[in-house]
Amino acid sequence: MSCSSHCFWVVLNEATSIGKPIRTSGPPLRTFDDSYKLGGIIKIASRDATKISPANIHKNTMRTSKEMQREKRLHLDEKISLSLPTNELLEDLASNCTKDPSPDNSFQYAFALSKSRNVGELRYSISMLESLIKNGYAHQVDCIYGTAMAHYLLGEYDRSRSACEAILRNRPENDAAAELHTASIAARDEEDEKKAKAIAVGGTVAVAAIGIAAVLLGGGGRKH
C-alpha cells in the first residue's frame, strides 16, 4: 500500500494535542499548521494617545507588549500541560516503530516525545525529528515545530525561537509556530529579568558586607 494512495492523517485531540494515526485515502497528509489552528488577531488600542508623549507611548507599548507575551505564554503552558503523552501512548508508538520503522511511524513517536517532561525523551525526540528532516521527510514543518516544542520544554528558548522563525519565514500564517515563538521570547525575557535581579541583589549584599567590614575594622582600630 503506497503512501501516494494511502497516508497518515494526524488526528489531534483538543485535550491532548496528540491523536492516533489513521489510514485514509485522499490528498497528502495535512501538515500541523493546517490542522492545528490557534489564537486569532490581536488588536492593540492606545487610550488618549494624543495626551501622551512619544517617550511614554513607547514605554507603555513595550510594557503592554511584554504583558501580552507573558499572557500568551501562560495560555500555551496550560495547553502543553494537558498534552503530556501517557506512558501507554508512548509504548504503543514505540512498539509501532520497532515493528515498522517507517518515517511516518518514527514521526508519530518523535512528535509525541516532544511534549514529554523527561529530559532524555525530549533529547531523543529532537534527534529523531532532525534525522527525519535531514532525510527529506515530507512534513518538514511538523518536524521543525516538534523540535521547537522540545527545546522550549528543555528551557532552551533561543533554539525554540529560532526553529519557530524558520517556520514563520515560509509559513507566516502558522498560528502554532507564532504562539510558541511568542512564548519563547517571553520565557527568555523572564529568565533574563531573574538573572538581572539576582545580580542586583548579590551586588547589594556585597556592598553591605564591605560596609560592615569597614565599620568593624574601624572600630577595632579605635580600640587599639
mmCIF file of all heavy atoms in Angstrom, residues 174-215:
data_model
loop_
_atom_site.group_PDB
_atom_site.id
_atom_site.type_symbol
_atom_site.label_atom_id
_atom_site.label_comp_id
_atom_site.label_asym_id
_atom_site.label_seq_id
_atom_site.Cartn_x
_atom_site.Cartn_y
_atom_site.Cartn_z
ATOM 1 N N ASN A 174 1.209 30.399 10.086
ATOM 2 C CA ASN A 174 1.213 29.270 11.020
ATOM 3 C C ASN A 174 1.023 29.769 12.450
ATOM 4 O O ASN A 174 1.955 30.245 13.092
ATOM 5 C CB ASN A 174 2.532 28.488 10.878
ATOM 6 C CG ASN A 174 2.511 27.192 11.654
ATOM 7 O OD1 ASN A 174 2.212 27.176 12.841
ATOM 8 N ND2 ASN A 174 2.833 26.106 10.987
ATOM 9 N N ASP A 175 -0.191 29.666 12.961
ATOM 10 C CA ASP A 175 -0.520 30.192 14.287
ATOM 11 C C ASP A 175 0.188 29.443 15.410
ATOM 12 O O ASP A 175 0.549 30.036 16.426
ATOM 13 C CB ASP A 175 -2.033 30.142 14.510
ATOM 14 C CG ASP A 175 -2.792 31.072 13.582
ATOM 15 O OD1 ASP A 175 -2.229 32.114 13.210
ATOM 16 O OD2 ASP A 175 -3.939 30.761 13.220
ATOM 17 N N ALA A 176 0.354 28.143 15.254
ATOM 18 C CA ALA A 176 1.002 27.348 16.301
ATOM 19 C C ALA A 176 2.445 27.792 16.490
ATOM 20 O O ALA A 176 2.922 27.972 17.618
ATOM 21 C CB ALA A 176 0.949 25.867 15.944
ATOM 22 N N ALA A 177 3.167 27.979 15.382
ATOM 23 C CA ALA A 177 4.554 28.428 15.460
ATOM 24 C C ALA A 177 4.637 29.851 16.003
ATOM 25 O O ALA A 177 5.543 30.177 16.779
ATOM 26 C CB ALA A 177 5.207 28.352 14.078
ATOM 27 N N ALA A 178 3.688 30.707 15.610
ATOM 28 C CA ALA A 178 3.675 32.090 16.094
ATOM 29 C C ALA A 178 3.462 32.135 17.606
ATOM 30 O O ALA A 178 4.106 32.907 18.320
ATOM 31 C CB ALA A 178 2.582 32.880 15.381
ATOM 32 N N GLU A 179 2.567 31.284 18.096
ATOM 33 C CA GLU A 179 2.290 31.259 19.529
ATOM 34 C C GLU A 179 3.505 30.763 20.321
ATOM 35 O O GLU A 179 3.872 31.337 21.350
ATOM 36 C CB GLU A 179 1.087 30.360 19.819
ATOM 37 C CG GLU A 179 0.673 30.373 21.283
ATOM 38 C CD GLU A 179 -0.551 29.514 21.539
ATOM 39 O OE1 GLU A 179 -0.605 28.388 21.020
ATOM 40 O OE2 GLU A 179 -1.449 29.976 22.248
ATOM 41 N N LEU A 180 4.136 29.708 19.828
ATOM 42 C CA LEU A 180 5.320 29.177 20.505
ATOM 43 C C LEU A 180 6.476 30.171 20.420
ATOM 44 O O LEU A 180 7.266 30.292 21.359
ATOM 45 C CB LEU A 180 5.714 27.832 19.888
ATOM 46 C CG LEU A 180 6.897 27.097 20.536
ATOM 47 C CD1 LEU A 180 6.680 26.918 22.032
ATOM 48 C CD2 LEU A 180 7.106 25.737 19.858
ATOM 49 N N HIS A 181 6.568 30.878 19.311
ATOM 50 C CA HIS A 181 7.607 31.906 19.134
ATOM 51 C C HIS A 181 7.438 32.992 20.198
ATOM 52 O O HIS A 181 8.411 33.391 20.862
ATOM 53 C CB HIS A 181 7.489 32.498 17.727
ATOM 54 C CG HIS A 181 8.511 33.548 17.424
ATOM 55 N ND1 HIS A 181 8.221 34.891 17.423
ATOM 56 C CD2 HIS A 181 9.824 33.441 17.095
ATOM 57 C CE1 HIS A 181 9.312 35.577 17.116
ATOM 58 N NE2 HIS A 181 10.299 34.726 16.912
ATOM 59 N N THR A 182 6.216 33.461 20.384
ATOM 60 C CA THR A 182 5.934 34.484 21.390
ATOM 61 C C THR A 182 6.242 33.971 22.791
ATOM 62 O O THR A 182 6.827 34.693 23.612
ATOM 63 C CB THR A 182 4.453 34.907 21.315
ATOM 64 O OG1 THR A 182 4.181 35.461 20.026
ATOM 65 C CG2 THR A 182 4.127 35.949 22.378
ATOM 66 N N ALA A 183 5.857 32.743 23.072
ATOM 67 C CA ALA A 183 6.110 32.152 24.391
ATOM 68 C C ALA A 183 7.611 32.024 24.653
ATOM 69 O O ALA A 183 8.072 32.241 25.775
ATOM 70 C CB ALA A 183 5.443 30.785 24.485
ATOM 71 N N SER A 184 8.375 31.695 23.630
ATOM 72 C CA SER A 184 9.830 31.551 23.779
ATOM 73 C C SER A 184 10.475 32.897 24.107
ATOM 74 O O SER A 184 11.377 32.980 24.941
ATOM 75 C CB SER A 184 10.439 30.983 22.493
ATOM 76 O OG SER A 184 9.939 29.691 22.222
ATOM 77 N N ILE A 185 9.994 33.957 23.446
ATOM 78 C CA ILE A 185 10.512 35.302 23.721
ATOM 79 C C ILE A 185 10.182 35.711 25.150
ATOM 80 O O ILE A 185 11.034 36.224 25.885
ATOM 81 C CB ILE A 185 9.927 36.317 22.720
ATOM 82 C CG1 ILE A 185 10.431 36.029 21.302
ATOM 83 C CG2 ILE A 185 10.271 37.748 23.123
ATOM 84 C CD1 ILE A 185 9.770 36.866 20.229
ATOM 85 N N ALA A 186 8.936 35.476 25.555
ATOM 86 C CA ALA A 186 8.505 35.834 26.905
ATOM 87 C C ALA A 186 9.294 35.068 27.959
ATOM 88 O O ALA A 186 9.710 35.634 28.980
ATOM 89 C CB ALA A 186 7.013 35.568 27.067
ATOM 90 N N ALA A 187 9.508 33.790 27.718
ATOM 91 C CA ALA A 187 10.237 32.957 28.677
ATOM 92 C C ALA A 187 11.686 33.427 28.815
ATOM 93 O O ALA A 187 12.234 33.480 29.923
ATOM 94 C CB ALA A 187 10.200 31.498 28.228
ATOM 95 N N ARG A 188 12.298 33.776 27.683
ATOM 96 C CA ARG A 188 13.684 34.256 27.731
ATOM 97 C C ARG A 188 13.768 35.596 28.453
ATOM 98 O O ARG A 188 14.690 35.831 29.250
ATOM 99 C CB ARG A 188 14.234 34.374 26.311
ATOM 100 C CG ARG A 188 15.700 34.851 26.272
ATOM 101 C CD ARG A 188 16.572 33.950 27.143
ATOM 102 N NE ARG A 188 17.900 34.498 27.321
ATOM 103 C CZ ARG A 188 18.942 34.204 26.530
ATOM 104 N NH1 ARG A 188 18.771 33.388 25.505
ATOM 105 N NH2 ARG A 188 20.117 34.721 26.766
ATOM 106 N N ASP A 189 12.800 36.491 28.212
ATOM 107 C CA ASP A 189 12.782 37.785 28.898
ATOM 108 C C ASP A 189 12.651 37.608 30.405
ATOM 109 O O ASP A 189 13.336 38.280 31.182
ATOM 110 C CB ASP A 189 11.620 38.642 28.378
ATOM 111 C CG ASP A 189 11.889 39.212 26.991
ATOM 112 O OD1 ASP A 189 13.062 39.174 26.557
ATOM 113 O OD2 ASP A 189 10.929 39.680 26.343
ATOM 114 N N GLU A 190 11.769 36.702 30.815
ATOM 115 C CA GLU A 190 11.584 36.447 32.245
ATOM 116 C C GLU A 190 12.860 35.876 32.859
ATOM 117 O O GLU A 190 13.228 36.226 33.990
ATOM 118 C CB GLU A 190 10.418 35.488 32.453
ATOM 119 C CG GLU A 190 9.059 36.112 32.171
ATOM 120 C CD GLU A 190 7.915 35.132 32.362
ATOM 121 O OE1 GLU A 190 8.086 34.174 33.144
ATOM 122 O OE2 GLU A 190 6.861 35.311 31.737
ATOM 123 N N GLU A 191 13.523 35.007 32.127
ATOM 124 C CA GLU A 191 14.774 34.415 32.608
ATOM 125 C C GLU A 191 15.851 35.488 32.771
ATOM 126 O O GLU A 191 16.585 35.508 33.769
ATOM 127 C CB GLU A 191 15.241 33.344 31.614
ATOM 128 C CG GLU A 191 16.330 32.438 32.135
ATOM 129 C CD GLU A 191 16.653 31.327 31.156
ATOM 130 O OE1 GLU A 191 17.211 31.636 30.074
ATOM 131 O OE2 GLU A 191 16.348 30.160 31.451
ATOM 132 N N ASP A 192 15.938 36.400 31.797
ATOM 133 C CA ASP A 192 16.923 37.481 31.862
ATOM 134 C C ASP A 192 16.629 38.419 33.026
ATOM 135 O O ASP A 192 17.552 38.900 33.702
ATOM 136 C CB ASP A 192 16.932 38.272 30.548
ATOM 137 C CG ASP A 192 17.527 37.481 29.392
ATOM 138 O OD1 ASP A 192 18.210 36.467 29.658
ATOM 139 O OD2 ASP A 192 17.311 37.871 28.229
ATOM 140 N N GLU A 193 15.341 38.700 33.266
ATOM 141 C CA GLU A 193 14.967 39.571 34.371
ATOM 142 C C GLU A 193 15.341 38.954 35.717
ATOM 143 O O GLU A 193 15.808 39.651 36.622
ATOM 144 C CB GLU A 193 13.461 39.850 34.331
ATOM 145 C CG GLU A 193 13.059 40.815 33.226
ATOM 146 C CD GLU A 193 11.557 41.042 33.170
ATOM 147 O OE1 GLU A 193 10.855 40.569 34.086
ATOM 148 O OE2 GLU A 193 11.087 41.692 32.215
ATOM 149 N N LYS A 194 15.137 37.657 35.837
ATOM 150 C CA LYS A 194 15.500 36.969 37.086
ATOM 151 C C LYS A 194 17.007 37.024 37.327
ATOM 152 O O LYS A 194 17.464 37.241 38.451
ATOM 153 C CB LYS A 194 15.033 35.511 37.034
ATOM 154 C CG LYS A 194 13.528 35.339 37.157
ATOM 155 C CD LYS A 194 13.133 33.876 37.064
ATOM 156 C CE LYS A 194 11.617 33.706 37.151
ATOM 157 N NZ LYS A 194 11.218 32.276 37.016
ATOM 158 N N LYS A 195 17.776 36.845 36.254
ATOM 159 C CA LYS A 195 19.244 36.904 36.376
ATOM 160 C C LYS A 195 19.688 38.306 36.772
ATOM 161 O O LYS A 195 20.580 38.473 37.616
ATOM 162 C CB LYS A 195 19.887 36.498 35.053
ATOM 163 C CG LYS A 195 19.789 35.017 34.738
ATOM 164 C CD LYS A 195 20.452 34.693 33.406
ATOM 165 C CE LYS A 195 20.335 33.212 33.076
ATOM 166 N NZ LYS A 195 20.958 32.894 31.762
ATOM 167 N N ALA A 196 19.060 39.323 36.164
ATOM 168 C CA ALA A 196 19.420 40.707 36.473
ATOM 169 C C ALA A 196 19.111 41.027 37.935
ATOM 170 O O ALA A 196 19.898 41.695 38.619
ATOM 171 C CB ALA A 196 18.663 41.657 35.553
ATOM 172 N N LYS A 197 17.949 40.553 38.429
ATOM 173 C CA LYS A 197 17.579 40.784 39.823
ATOM 174 C C LYS A 197 18.548 40.085 40.772
ATOM 175 O O LYS A 197 18.918 40.621 41.811
ATOM 176 C CB LYS A 197 16.155 40.298 40.075
ATOM 177 C CG LYS A 197 15.087 41.191 39.473
ATOM 178 C CD LYS A 197 13.699 40.651 39.744
ATOM 179 C CE LYS A 197 12.632 41.541 39.116
ATOM 180 N NZ LYS A 197 11.258 41.009 39.333
ATOM 181 N N ALA A 198 18.946 38.858 40.388
ATOM 182 C CA ALA A 198 19.881 38.101 41.222
ATOM 183 C C ALA A 198 21.226 38.826 41.315
ATOM 184 O O ALA A 198 21.844 38.891 42.384
ATOM 185 C CB ALA A 198 20.072 36.702 40.652
ATOM 186 N N ILE A 199 21.668 39.374 40.182
ATOM 187 C CA ILE A 199 22.935 40.113 40.163
ATOM 188 C C ILE A 199 22.830 41.368 41.022
ATOM 189 O O ILE A 199 23.739 41.716 41.772
ATOM 190 C CB ILE A 199 23.325 40.472 38.714
ATOM 191 C CG1 ILE A 199 23.677 39.200 37.942
ATOM 192 C CG2 ILE A 199 24.491 41.451 38.697
ATOM 193 C CD1 ILE A 199 23.894 39.425 36.457
ATOM 194 N N ALA A 200 21.680 42.069 40.905
ATOM 195 C CA ALA A 200 21.468 43.297 41.679
ATOM 196 C C ALA A 200 21.468 43.004 43.172
ATOM 197 O O ALA A 200 22.076 43.721 43.968
ATOM 198 C CB ALA A 200 20.158 43.949 41.261
ATOM 199 N N VAL A 201 20.760 41.935 43.562
ATOM 200 C CA VAL A 201 20.713 41.550 44.978
ATOM 201 C C VAL A 201 22.099 41.160 45.469
ATOM 202 O O VAL A 201 22.526 41.535 46.563
ATOM 203 C CB VAL A 201 19.724 40.383 45.189
ATOM 204 C CG1 VAL A 201 19.840 39.833 46.606
ATOM 205 C CG2 VAL A 201 18.299 40.851 44.917
ATOM 206 N N GLY A 202 22.830 40.401 44.640
ATOM 207 C CA GLY A 202 24.178 39.996 45.010
ATOM 208 C C GLY A 202 25.093 41.192 45.189
ATOM 209 O O GLY A 202 25.908 41.246 46.131
ATOM 210 N N GLY A 203 24.943 42.201 44.306
ATOM 211 C CA GLY A 203 25.760 43.408 44.420
ATOM 212 C C GLY A 203 25.442 44.182 45.675
ATOM 213 O O GLY A 203 26.336 44.692 46.359
ATOM 214 N N THR A 204 24.146 44.258 46.013
ATOM 215 C CA THR A 204 23.728 44.973 47.226
ATOM 216 C C THR A 204 24.273 44.293 48.467
ATOM 217 O O THR A 204 24.760 44.948 49.399
ATOM 218 C CB THR A 204 22.190 45.022 47.310
ATOM 219 O OG1 THR A 204 21.677 45.670 46.148
ATOM 220 C CG2 THR A 204 21.740 45.767 48.548
ATOM 221 N N VAL A 205 24.210 42.985 48.490
ATOM 222 C CA VAL A 205 24.735 42.219 49.627
ATOM 223 C C VAL A 205 26.237 42.421 49.760
ATOM 224 O O VAL A 205 26.767 42.582 50.867
ATOM 225 C CB VAL A 205 24.408 40.716 49.467
ATOM 226 C CG1 VAL A 205 25.134 39.895 50.525
ATOM 227 C CG2 VAL A 205 22.909 40.485 49.542
ATOM 228 N N ALA A 206 26.942 42.416 48.627
ATOM 229 C CA ALA A 206 28.395 42.588 48.645
ATOM 230 C C ALA A 206 28.759 43.969 49.189
ATOM 231 O O ALA A 206 29.691 44.110 49.999
ATOM 232 C CB ALA A 206 28.954 42.408 47.239
ATOM 233 N N VAL A 207 28.021 45.014 48.739
ATOM 234 C CA VAL A 207 28.296 46.376 49.219
ATOM 235 C C VAL A 207 28.029 46.472 50.715
ATOM 236 O O VAL A 207 28.799 47.078 51.469
ATOM 237 C CB VAL A 207 27.425 47.399 48.451
ATOM 238 C CG1 VAL A 207 27.513 48.768 49.106
ATOM 239 C CG2 VAL A 207 27.862 47.476 46.994
ATOM 240 N N ALA A 208 26.938 45.854 51.155
ATOM 241 C CA ALA A 208 26.609 45.880 52.586
ATOM 242 C C ALA A 208 27.674 45.172 53.409
ATOM 243 O O ALA A 208 28.055 45.632 54.489
ATOM 244 C CB ALA A 208 25.249 45.214 52.807
ATOM 245 N N ALA A 209 28.173 44.047 52.864
ATOM 246 C CA ALA A 209 29.212 43.292 53.576
ATOM 247 C C ALA A 209 30.489 44.111 53.699
ATOM 248 O O ALA A 209 31.148 44.110 54.752
ATOM 249 C CB ALA A 209 29.485 41.986 52.837
ATOM 250 N N ILE A 210 30.835 44.834 52.625
ATOM 251 C CA ILE A 210 32.036 45.679 52.659
ATOM 252 C C ILE A 210 31.872 46.786 53.689
ATOM 253 O O ILE A 210 32.796 47.124 54.435
ATOM 254 C CB ILE A 210 32.309 46.275 51.259
ATOM 255 C CG1 ILE A 210 32.710 45.163 50.294
ATOM 256 C CG2 ILE A 210 33.382 47.345 51.316
ATOM 257 C CD1 ILE A 210 32.807 45.615 48.847
ATOM 258 N N GLY A 211 30.639 47.375 53.722
ATOM 259 C CA GLY A 211 30.380 48.432 54.694
ATOM 260 C C GLY A 211 30.502 47.941 56.120
ATOM 261 O O GLY A 211 31.092 48.609 56.977
ATOM 262 N N ILE A 212 29.942 46.749 56.383
ATOM 263 C CA ILE A 212 30.016 46.180 57.735
ATOM 264 C C ILE A 212 31.463 45.888 58.104
ATOM 265 O O ILE A 212 31.914 46.156 59.224
ATOM 266 C CB ILE A 212 29.176 44.895 57.815
ATOM 267 C CG1 ILE A 212 27.691 45.241 57.674
ATOM 268 C CG2 ILE A 212 29.437 44.163 59.128
ATOM 269 C CD1 ILE A 212 26.796 44.036 57.533
ATOM 270 N N ALA A 213 32.232 45.356 57.142
ATOM 271 C CA ALA A 213 33.642 45.044 57.401
ATOM 272 C C ALA A 213 34.421 46.314 57.714
ATOM 273 O O ALA A 213 35.278 46.336 58.612
ATOM 274 C CB ALA A 213 34.234 44.335 56.184
ATOM 275 N N ALA A 214 34.103 47.384 56.966
ATOM 276 C CA ALA A 214 34.809 48.657 57.200
ATOM 277 C C ALA A 214 34.516 49.176 58.597
ATOM 278 O O ALA A 214 35.402 49.698 59.284
ATOM 279 C CB ALA A 214 34.381 49.659 56.140
ATOM 280 N N VAL A 215 33.245 49.077 59.022
ATOM 281 C CA VAL A 215 32.867 49.544 60.352
ATOM 282 C C VAL A 215 33.578 48.746 61.433
ATOM 283 O O VAL A 215 34.095 49.272 62.396
ATOM 284 C CB VAL A 215 31.346 49.438 60.536
ATOM 285 C CG1 VAL A 215 30.974 49.679 62.008
ATOM 286 C CG2 VAL A 215 30.625 50.424 59.646
#
